[in-house]
Amino acid sequence: MRVVLQRVSSASVAIDGEMVGEIGSGLVLLVGFTDEDGEEDLAWMARKILGLRVFSDVEGKMNLSLGDVGGDLLVISQFTLYGDTRKGRRPSFVQAAAPDVAIPLYDRFLELLTDRAPGRVDSGEFGAMMDVALVNAGPVTLVLER
């Protein structure tokens, strides 16, 4: 499981010009899965994301978590996180989980985050062509892997 996490002051996702998700201050999560990912990986990643201290305290240090600031989450499925570009010019996606494996993982991950997150949890649509807009605050961008 791989997540690209971006701290944002706002973000949204649209499909065919229609807004399907929108958050204020919080985190955008671009999420990819492999065939080997399971419940333990999902739970670990949810705990890690919710506990990461990536928000600034009054002294400007990254000491606060999403829960501390009451932030929101925007979660976007992105199989291209497992694109392998070492050979040739076209990425290979053989490491990415097929939809029949990835969709239940994505749905369960959203469920875990929704149950535990302090603020709003919005998402895109698995497999859809999406337009994601965000204002990266900091900028802060981290890659998390399990």
Tab-separated table of all heavy atoms in Angstrom, residues 3 24 37:
chain	number	residue	atom	x	y	z
A	3	VAL	N	0.751	5.600	-0.167
A	3	VAL	CA	-0.056	6.814	-0.063
A	3	VAL	C	0.847	8.024	-0.251
A	3	VAL	O	1.907	8.112	0.363
A	3	VAL	CB	-0.752	6.903	1.325
A	3	VAL	CG1	-1.464	8.243	1.489
A	3	VAL	CG2	-1.731	5.759	1.520
A	24	GLY	N	-11.904	21.460	3.382
A	24	GLY	CA	-11.147	22.639	3.786
A	24	GLY	C	-9.755	22.197	4.203
A	24	GLY	O	-9.168	21.293	3.608
A	37	ASP	N	-1.867	-6.419	-0.277
A	37	ASP	CA	-2.374	-5.583	0.805
A	37	ASP	C	-3.605	-6.222	1.444
A	37	ASP	O	-4.387	-6.898	0.773
A	37	ASP	CB	-2.729	-4.181	0.292
A	37	ASP	CG	-1.500	-3.406	-0.144
A	37	ASP	OD1	-0.431	-3.591	0.472
A	37	ASP	OD2	-1.608	-2.617	-1.099
